[in-house]
Structure formats: structure tokens, C-alpha cells
């Protein structure tokens, strides 16, 4: 009941190179509750029941971009072994610090207009990404061994297309 929590502006004032990019305040994406109580940016996946199935790993990358001193998208999914293209579309350096539980961490400075590719070898839900230069920057990645995952959209909805029958 009542109004959903308001999204707070991210404070970029300590880093003028970031603050001057935006004419409007950048809002925190940690928890976004819609008027009807649904949630945006939630990683949804089939946790068990697919052990008997095998699925080819996509060769094309998923993209995590650093643009406007924020990670885009805030939440995404990737398959185990699938390439992750990490881009820096900004005019200055960022730091990419992945904090997985079941995979090896990585932490590197990424110069302006650069792209690097990483992979995770094991399922890991959720892996936090952060920038050690710009402390408000964060993103979360679900790493799963199958294609049955989604991130809830603006209206809180999601779809798991062609899910095999089972429990």
C-alpha cells in the first residue's frame, strides 16, 4: 500500500567529468518498484530441472557498456562460457571489477573507447560488477548454463521462451 519508494539520485558531484555529462540527475537502479508493485531489473532463471538437457553456448557476446558513468544494462544474463564484451564508451578511464562467488575475479582499468572480452566458466548468480574509480557504478550479471533466463522489463514482466516441459 502507499506509494513505491522514490529512486534517489546518484551523487556524481565528486567527479566533474561524470556530472557534466548529464543534464538531468541519474537515478539509482538498485531497486525499482513500479506503481503496481512489480519490480524492474530482476534476474529470473530456472534454477533446477534442466540437468538432463544440454544447450550449445552462444558464440556471440553479451555487451556490458560503461556510458555516462553508469553500467548499461544494470542487470543482464549470460551463458556459462559465452563471451562478455565489456566496453568503455566514455571519454575517460573506468575500472572493471567483477566480484563473482564461483568464478575467478577480474579487475582492470579500461581506457576510453576500449573494449575487452571476458568469460565465466561456472554458473554464478549474481555477479556484481563495480568501478573502483567511480564508486556509484554497479551492475549485476546472472551466469547460467542454459538459455532460460530473463531480466524483468519496465513493467515487471518477463518471458522464458520455449522452456522444455518439466517441473
Amino acid at each position: 500500500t502507499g506509494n513505491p519508494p522514490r529512486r534517489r539520485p546518484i551523487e556524481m558531484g565528486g567527479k566533474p567529468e561524470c556530472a557534466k555529462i548529464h543534464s538531468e540527475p541519474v537515478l539509482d537502479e538498485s531497486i525499482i518498484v513500479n506503481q503496481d508493485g512489480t519490480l524492474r531489473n530482476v534476474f529470473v532463471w530456472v534454477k533446477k530441472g534442466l540437468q538432463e538437457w544440454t544447450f550449445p553456448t552462444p558464440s556471440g557476446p553479451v555487451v556490458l557498456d560503461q556510458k555516462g558513468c553508469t553500467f548499461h544494462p544494470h542487470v543482464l544474463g549470460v551463458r556459462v562460457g559465452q563471451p562478455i564484451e565489456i566496453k568503455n564508451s566514455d571519454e575517460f578511464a573506468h575500472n572493471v571489477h567483477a566480484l563473482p562467488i564461483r568464478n575467478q575475479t577480474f579487475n582492470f582499468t579500461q581506457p576510453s573507447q576500449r573494449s575487452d572480452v571476458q568469460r565465466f566458466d561456472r554458473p554464478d548468480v549474481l555477479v556484481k560488477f563495480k568501478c573502483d574509480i567511480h564508486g556509484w557504478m554497479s551492475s549485476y550479471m546472472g551466469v547460467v548454463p542454459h538459455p532460460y533466463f530473463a531480466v524483468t522489463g519496465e513493467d515487471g514482466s518477463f518471458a522464458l521462451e520455449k522452456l522444455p516441459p518439466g517441473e
Side-chain angles (χ1 to χ4, degrees):
T1 61
N3 292 327
R6 299 179 80 186
R7 290 172 57 194
R8 66 178 172 80
I10 294 173
E11 184 58 50
M12 294 184 186
K15 299 288 184 175
E17 71 272 15
C18 295
K20 72 180 184 179
I21 294 172
H22 303 279
S23 59
E24 303 271 328
V26 177
L27 301 178
D28 184 12
E29 294 185 280
S30 297
I31 299 173
I32 304 174
V33 181
N34 294 319
Q35 291 291 337
D36 63 359
T38 59
L39 299 172
R40 299 183 207 174
N41 287 340
V42 174
F43 184 76
V44 178
W45 80 105
V46 175
K47 187 172 180 177
K48 60 183 181 175
L50 295 170
Q51 299 84 341
E52 303 295 320
W53 298 79
T54 58
F55 307 94
T57 301
S59 58
V62 298
V63 176
L64 179 61
D65 195 1
Q66 298 162 100
K67 187 175 182 179
C69 290
T70 59
F71 281 108
H72 293 276
H74 184 65
V75 178
L76 71 158
V78 64
R79 300 275 304 282
V80 170
Q82 184 176 8
I84 305 162
E85 181 181 3
I86 304 170
K87 296 170 56 174
N88 179 358
S89 295
D90 283 334
E91 302 282 326
F92 40 83
H94 285 294
N95 170 259
V96 181
H97 192 170
L99 301 164
I101 301 299
R102 300 187 65 214
N103 286 282
Q104 183 154 351
T105 190
F106 52 85
N107 185 358
F108 58 90
T109 299
Q110 192 174 46
S112 165
Q113 306 297 311
R114 176 147 173 187
S115 182
D116 292 283
V117 175
Q118 297 286 330
R119 287 180 172 77
F120 290 118
D121 297 327
R122 294 189 269 309
D124 215 337
V125 178
L126 287 168
V127 176
K128 181 177 181 173
F129 283 75
K130 67 178 190 163
C131 174
D132 293 330
I133 299 170
H134 306 101
W136 62 86
M137 289 178 62
S138 66
S139 183
Y140 297 87
M141 184 177 295
V143 183
V144 294
H146 57 73
Y148 303 108
F149 62 88
V151 176
T152 59
E154 292 287 315
D155 64 354
S157 67
F158 67 94
L160 299 175
E161 303 289 330
K162 300 180 183 175
L163 182 62
E167 293 182 16

